[in-house]
Short mmCIF file of all heavy atoms in Angstrom, two decimals:
data_model
loop_
_atom_site.label_atom_id
_atom_site.label_comp_id
_atom_site.label_asym_id
_atom_site.label_seq_id
_atom_site.Cartn_x
_atom_site.Cartn_y
_atom_site.Cartn_z
N ALA A 273 -125.83 -101.32 -63.14
CA ALA A 273 -126.21 -100.67 -61.82
C ALA A 273 -125.30 -101.06 -60.64
O ALA A 273 -124.81 -100.43 -59.87
CB ALA A 273 -127.66 -100.96 -61.58
N ALA A 274 -124.96 -102.32 -60.68
CA ALA A 274 -124.04 -102.85 -59.53
C ALA A 274 -122.75 -102.31 -59.68
O ALA A 274 -122.16 -101.96 -58.75
CB ALA A 274 -123.90 -104.41 -59.68
N GLN A 275 -122.13 -102.10 -60.99
CA GLN A 275 -120.94 -101.58 -61.17
C GLN A 275 -120.83 -100.12 -60.67
O GLN A 275 -119.98 -99.61 -60.08
CB GLN A 275 -120.35 -101.73 -62.47
CG GLN A 275 -120.01 -103.11 -63.00
CD GLN A 275 -119.91 -103.28 -64.39
OE1 GLN A 275 -120.53 -102.56 -65.15
NE2 GLN A 275 -119.02 -104.15 -64.87
N LEU A 276 -121.84 -99.42 -61.04
CA LEU A 276 -121.97 -97.97 -60.67
C LEU A 276 -122.03 -97.76 -59.15
O LEU A 276 -121.44 -96.83 -58.60
CB LEU A 276 -123.12 -97.22 -61.26
CG LEU A 276 -123.06 -96.99 -62.82
CD1 LEU A 276 -124.33 -96.55 -63.35
CD2 LEU A 276 -121.96 -95.93 -63.01
N ALA A 277 -122.85 -98.66 -58.41
CA ALA A 277 -122.87 -98.58 -57.08
C ALA A 277 -121.65 -98.88 -56.37
O ALA A 277 -121.30 -98.20 -55.42
CB ALA A 277 -123.87 -99.73 -56.54
N ALA A 278 -120.74 -99.85 -56.85
CA ALA A 278 -119.39 -100.05 -56.47
C ALA A 278 -118.49 -98.83 -56.62
O ALA A 278 -117.61 -98.59 -55.83
CB ALA A 278 -118.88 -101.25 -56.93
N MET A 279 -118.59 -98.13 -57.76
CA MET A 279 -117.71 -96.92 -58.10
C MET A 279 -118.13 -95.71 -57.22
O MET A 279 -117.27 -94.96 -56.91
CB MET A 279 -117.92 -96.69 -59.59
CG MET A 279 -117.33 -97.85 -60.55
SD MET A 279 -117.86 -97.64 -62.22
CE MET A 279 -117.27 -96.10 -62.67
N PHE A 280 -119.40 -95.61 -56.97
CA PHE A 280 -119.86 -94.49 -56.34
C PHE A 280 -120.73 -94.90 -55.06
O PHE A 280 -121.89 -94.66 -55.04
CB PHE A 280 -120.66 -93.51 -57.23
CG PHE A 280 -119.92 -93.02 -58.46
CD1 PHE A 280 -120.06 -93.72 -59.65
CD2 PHE A 280 -119.25 -91.85 -58.37
CE1 PHE A 280 -119.41 -93.21 -60.76
CE2 PHE A 280 -118.47 -91.48 -59.47
CZ PHE A 280 -118.64 -92.21 -60.62
N PRO A 281 -120.11 -95.44 -54.12
CA PRO A 281 -120.73 -96.00 -52.93
C PRO A 281 -121.54 -94.90 -52.15
O PRO A 281 -121.00 -93.83 -51.94
CB PRO A 281 -119.68 -96.69 -52.04
CG PRO A 281 -118.37 -96.03 -52.53
CD PRO A 281 -118.49 -95.69 -53.96
N GLY A 282 -122.80 -95.12 -51.91
CA GLY A 282 -123.52 -94.14 -51.05
C GLY A 282 -124.32 -93.14 -51.85
O GLY A 282 -124.96 -92.31 -51.47
N ILE A 283 -123.96 -93.11 -53.28
CA ILE A 283 -124.66 -92.20 -54.16
C ILE A 283 -125.61 -92.88 -55.08
O ILE A 283 -125.17 -93.74 -55.78
CB ILE A 283 -123.54 -91.42 -54.95
CG1 ILE A 283 -122.68 -90.59 -53.91
CG2 ILE A 283 -124.23 -90.39 -55.88
CD1 ILE A 283 -121.68 -89.87 -54.74
N ASP A 284 -126.77 -92.40 -55.19
CA ASP A 284 -127.81 -92.87 -55.99
C ASP A 284 -127.42 -92.55 -57.41
O ASP A 284 -127.54 -91.45 -57.84
CB ASP A 284 -129.16 -92.48 -55.64
CG ASP A 284 -130.34 -93.10 -56.55
OD1 ASP A 284 -130.10 -93.97 -57.34
OD2 ASP A 284 -131.53 -92.93 -56.03
N MET A 285 -127.12 -93.55 -58.23
CA MET A 285 -126.75 -93.30 -59.69
C MET A 285 -127.89 -93.83 -60.55
O MET A 285 -127.70 -94.07 -61.77
CB MET A 285 -125.44 -94.04 -59.91
CG MET A 285 -124.18 -93.59 -59.20
SD MET A 285 -123.85 -91.77 -59.70
CE MET A 285 -123.24 -92.11 -61.37
N SER A 286 -129.13 -93.94 -60.16
CA SER A 286 -130.24 -94.15 -60.95
C SER A 286 -130.56 -92.99 -62.09
O SER A 286 -130.03 -91.90 -61.67
CB SER A 286 -131.43 -94.50 -60.23
OG SER A 286 -131.93 -93.32 -59.56
N ALA A 287 -131.11 -93.24 -63.10
CA ALA A 287 -131.52 -92.39 -64.01
C ALA A 287 -132.32 -91.15 -63.40
O ALA A 287 -132.08 -89.91 -63.69
CB ALA A 287 -132.25 -92.95 -65.28
N GLU A 288 -133.18 -91.57 -62.60
CA GLU A 288 -133.98 -90.39 -62.00
C GLU A 288 -133.35 -89.54 -61.05
O GLU A 288 -133.40 -88.28 -61.03
CB GLU A 288 -135.21 -91.15 -61.14
CG GLU A 288 -136.20 -91.86 -62.02
CD GLU A 288 -135.69 -93.31 -62.31
OE1 GLU A 288 -134.57 -93.69 -61.83
OE2 GLU A 288 -136.28 -93.82 -63.30
N ALA A 289 -132.36 -90.11 -60.29
CA ALA A 289 -131.59 -89.31 -59.35
C ALA A 289 -130.61 -88.44 -60.09
O ALA A 289 -130.30 -87.29 -59.52
CB ALA A 289 -130.72 -90.22 -58.52
N ARG A 290 -130.11 -88.93 -61.20
CA ARG A 290 -129.08 -88.07 -61.80
C ARG A 290 -129.63 -86.82 -62.44
O ARG A 290 -128.75 -85.92 -62.80
CB ARG A 290 -128.35 -88.83 -62.87
CG ARG A 290 -127.53 -90.06 -62.43
CD ARG A 290 -127.01 -91.03 -63.41
NE ARG A 290 -126.36 -90.26 -64.52
CZ ARG A 290 -126.17 -90.89 -65.78
NH1 ARG A 290 -126.66 -91.96 -65.97
NH2 ARG A 290 -125.38 -90.31 -66.67
N LEU A 291 -130.86 -86.63 -62.48
CA LEU A 291 -131.41 -85.36 -62.83
C LEU A 291 -131.62 -84.37 -61.69
O LEU A 291 -131.88 -83.16 -61.90
CB LEU A 291 -132.86 -85.47 -63.59
CG LEU A 291 -132.78 -86.21 -64.93
CD1 LEU A 291 -134.26 -86.53 -65.32
CD2 LEU A 291 -132.16 -85.31 -65.92
N GLU A 292 -131.39 -84.78 -60.55
CA GLU A 292 -131.60 -83.94 -59.34
C GLU A 292 -130.42 -83.20 -58.82
O GLU A 292 -129.29 -83.62 -58.97
CB GLU A 292 -132.15 -84.76 -58.29
CG GLU A 292 -133.46 -85.60 -58.47
CD GLU A 292 -134.51 -84.63 -58.87
OE1 GLU A 292 -134.59 -83.50 -58.25
OE2 GLU A 292 -135.38 -85.00 -59.69
N LYS A 293 -130.56 -82.00 -58.33
CA LYS A 293 -129.47 -81.10 -57.91
C LYS A 293 -128.98 -81.71 -56.69
O LYS A 293 -127.58 -81.50 -56.49
CB LYS A 293 -130.04 -79.68 -57.65
CG LYS A 293 -130.47 -78.90 -58.97
CD LYS A 293 -130.88 -77.50 -58.50
CE LYS A 293 -131.14 -76.70 -59.78
NZ LYS A 293 -132.06 -77.22 -60.73
N ASN A 294 -129.58 -82.34 -55.67
CA ASN A 294 -128.95 -82.87 -54.60
C ASN A 294 -128.07 -84.08 -55.06
O ASN A 294 -127.10 -84.16 -54.29
CB ASN A 294 -130.00 -83.21 -53.51
CG ASN A 294 -130.97 -84.28 -54.01
OD1 ASN A 294 -130.85 -84.63 -55.20
ND2 ASN A 294 -131.89 -84.62 -53.11
N HIS A 295 -128.33 -84.74 -55.98
CA HIS A 295 -127.36 -85.84 -56.52
C HIS A 295 -126.11 -85.17 -56.96
O HIS A 295 -124.97 -85.67 -56.52
CB HIS A 295 -128.00 -86.54 -57.66
CG HIS A 295 -126.99 -87.27 -58.56
ND1 HIS A 295 -126.48 -88.49 -58.16
CD2 HIS A 295 -126.32 -86.89 -59.68
CE1 HIS A 295 -125.66 -88.95 -59.08
NE2 HIS A 295 -125.55 -87.93 -60.07
N ALA A 296 -126.16 -84.06 -57.69
CA ALA A 296 -124.86 -83.34 -57.97
C ALA A 296 -124.10 -82.81 -56.93
O ALA A 296 -122.88 -82.84 -56.95
CB ALA A 296 -125.26 -82.18 -59.02
N GLU A 297 -124.84 -82.35 -55.84
CA GLU A 297 -124.05 -81.85 -54.68
C GLU A 297 -123.26 -82.88 -53.92
O GLU A 297 -122.14 -82.76 -53.59
CB GLU A 297 -125.08 -81.19 -53.75
CG GLU A 297 -125.56 -79.84 -54.27
CD GLU A 297 -126.89 -79.31 -53.58
OE1 GLU A 297 -127.28 -80.14 -52.54
OE2 GLU A 297 -127.47 -78.38 -53.83
N ARG A 298 -123.97 -84.13 -53.82
CA ARG A 298 -123.20 -85.18 -53.25
C ARG A 298 -122.12 -85.85 -54.10
O ARG A 298 -121.04 -86.19 -53.53
CB ARG A 298 -124.18 -86.43 -52.92
CG ARG A 298 -125.35 -86.04 -51.97
CD ARG A 298 -126.06 -87.29 -51.41
NE ARG A 298 -125.17 -88.11 -50.70
CZ ARG A 298 -125.34 -89.39 -50.25
NH1 ARG A 298 -126.55 -89.90 -50.50
NH2 ARG A 298 -124.53 -90.08 -49.58
N LEU A 299 -122.36 -85.76 -55.42
CA LEU A 299 -121.31 -86.25 -56.32
C LEU A 299 -120.05 -85.29 -56.29
O LEU A 299 -118.93 -85.69 -56.24
CB LEU A 299 -121.88 -86.44 -57.67
CG LEU A 299 -120.95 -86.87 -58.73
CD1 LEU A 299 -120.37 -88.36 -58.40
CD2 LEU A 299 -121.61 -86.97 -60.12
N TRP A 300 -120.40 -83.93 -56.30
CA TRP A 300 -119.24 -83.06 -56.15
C TRP A 300 -118.55 -83.22 -54.90
O TRP A 300 -117.27 -83.18 -54.98
CB TRP A 300 -119.73 -81.66 -56.36
CG TRP A 300 -118.55 -80.62 -56.14
CD1 TRP A 300 -118.49 -79.79 -55.13
CD2 TRP A 300 -117.40 -80.60 -56.97
NE1 TRP A 300 -117.26 -79.05 -55.29
CE2 TRP A 300 -116.61 -79.55 -56.39
CE3 TRP A 300 -117.03 -81.12 -58.18
CZ2 TRP A 300 -115.39 -79.20 -56.93
CZ3 TRP A 300 -115.89 -80.75 -58.75
CH2 TRP A 300 -115.02 -79.83 -58.07
N GLU A 301 -119.13 -83.45 -53.83
CA GLU A 301 -118.30 -83.63 -52.60
C GLU A 301 -117.43 -84.85 -52.67
O GLU A 301 -116.22 -84.84 -52.29
CB GLU A 301 -119.36 -83.90 -51.46
CG GLU A 301 -120.09 -82.73 -50.95
CD GLU A 301 -121.08 -83.10 -49.90
OE1 GLU A 301 -121.06 -84.17 -49.40
OE2 GLU A 301 -121.89 -82.09 -49.46
N ARG A 302 -117.93 -85.82 -53.36
CA ARG A 302 -117.07 -87.09 -53.54
C ARG A 302 -115.79 -86.85 -54.56
O ARG A 302 -114.82 -87.19 -54.39
CB ARG A 302 -117.87 -88.28 -54.20
CG ARG A 302 -117.04 -89.53 -54.41
CD ARG A 302 -116.66 -90.16 -53.24
NE ARG A 302 -117.73 -90.39 -52.20
CZ ARG A 302 -118.54 -91.33 -52.25
NH1 ARG A 302 -118.56 -92.20 -53.21
NH2 ARG A 302 -119.54 -91.44 -51.37
N LEU A 303 -116.14 -86.06 -55.68
CA LEU A 303 -115.19 -85.76 -56.71
C LEU A 303 -114.02 -84.86 -56.19
O LEU A 303 -112.83 -84.99 -56.38
CB LEU A 303 -115.69 -85.03 -57.96
CG LEU A 303 -116.64 -85.84 -58.77
CD1 LEU A 303 -117.30 -84.99 -59.78
CD2 LEU A 303 -115.94 -87.12 -59.27
N ASP A 304 -114.39 -83.98 -55.40
CA ASP A 304 -113.51 -82.85 -54.56
C ASP A 304 -112.77 -83.41 -53.51
O ASP A 304 -111.97 -82.74 -52.84
CB ASP A 304 -114.14 -81.69 -54.44
CG ASP A 304 -113.28 -80.39 -54.36
OD1 ASP A 304 -112.28 -80.40 -55.18
OD2 ASP A 304 -113.41 -79.50 -53.55
N SER A 305 -113.01 -84.73 -53.03
CA SER A 305 -112.35 -85.28 -51.91
C SER A 305 -111.06 -85.94 -52.37
O SER A 305 -111.00 -86.56 -53.47
CB SER A 305 -113.18 -86.35 -51.28
OG SER A 305 -112.57 -87.14 -50.36
N PRO A 306 -110.02 -85.87 -51.69
CA PRO A 306 -108.80 -86.57 -51.98
C PRO A 306 -108.81 -88.04 -51.75
O PRO A 306 -107.79 -88.79 -52.01
CB PRO A 306 -107.68 -85.93 -51.03
CG PRO A 306 -108.43 -85.47 -49.90
CD PRO A 306 -109.94 -85.08 -50.37
N ASP A 307 -109.95 -88.63 -51.19
CA ASP A 307 -109.96 -89.99 -50.74
C ASP A 307 -110.19 -90.94 -51.88
O ASP A 307 -109.90 -92.11 -51.67
CB ASP A 307 -111.10 -90.20 -49.84
CG ASP A 307 -110.85 -89.21 -48.49
OD1 ASP A 307 -109.61 -88.95 -48.18
OD2 ASP A 307 -111.78 -88.86 -47.85
N GLY A 308 -110.75 -90.57 -53.07
CA GLY A 308 -111.18 -91.52 -54.02
C GLY A 308 -110.83 -91.18 -55.48
O GLY A 308 -110.72 -90.05 -55.72
N PRO A 309 -110.86 -92.20 -56.32
CA PRO A 309 -110.59 -91.81 -57.74
C PRO A 309 -111.81 -91.19 -58.43
O PRO A 309 -112.91 -91.23 -57.91
CB PRO A 309 -110.38 -93.26 -58.38
CG PRO A 309 -111.15 -94.22 -57.51
CD PRO A 309 -111.06 -93.50 -56.10
N ILE A 310 -111.62 -90.74 -59.60
CA ILE A 310 -112.74 -89.91 -60.23
C ILE A 310 -113.72 -90.99 -61.00
O ILE A 310 -114.91 -90.68 -61.01
CB ILE A 310 -112.03 -89.04 -61.30
CG1 ILE A 310 -111.29 -87.97 -60.82
CG2 ILE A 310 -113.10 -88.30 -62.16
CD1 ILE A 310 -110.38 -87.15 -61.60
N HIS A 311 -113.16 -91.95 -61.54
CA HIS A 311 -113.99 -92.98 -62.31
C HIS A 311 -114.51 -92.04 -63.59
O HIS A 311 -115.63 -91.76 -63.58
CB HIS A 311 -115.10 -93.54 -61.67
CG HIS A 311 -114.79 -94.43 -60.32
ND1 HIS A 311 -113.89 -95.65 -60.78
CD2 HIS A 311 -114.79 -94.48 -59.18
CE1 HIS A 311 -113.65 -96.27 -59.68
NE2 HIS A 311 -114.19 -95.52 -58.56
N LEU A 312 -113.72 -91.91 -64.40
CA LEU A 312 -114.04 -91.09 -65.65
C LEU A 312 -115.14 -91.82 -66.43
O LEU A 312 -115.24 -93.04 -66.55
CB LEU A 312 -112.88 -90.93 -66.61
CG LEU A 312 -111.58 -90.32 -66.06
CD1 LEU A 312 -110.45 -90.42 -67.11
CD2 LEU A 312 -111.92 -88.93 -65.74
#
């Protein structure tokens, strides 16, 4: 959990959150930004 928090700062990566649509919207904003790596 600590590693995921560092990889995706500001995004809730808990199991419960990952099922939600608003999580996907925030994650997509991060992925489509030129500022950070993808973290495959």
Side-chain angles (χ1 to χ4, degrees):
Q275 289 170 324
L276 285 174
M279 292 163 61
F280 300 95
I283 298 179
D284 186 353
M285 294 295 290
S286 67
E288 296 78 13
R290 289 170 60 197
L291 288 170
E292 300 298 326
K293 289 181 172 59
N294 59 359
H295 160 83
E297 291 165 357
R298 296 195 65 190
L299 184 56
W300 174 248
E301 290 177 6
R302 180 69 53 81
L303 291 176
D304 203 32
S305 166
D307 300 333
I310 298 172
H311 293 299
L312 300 178

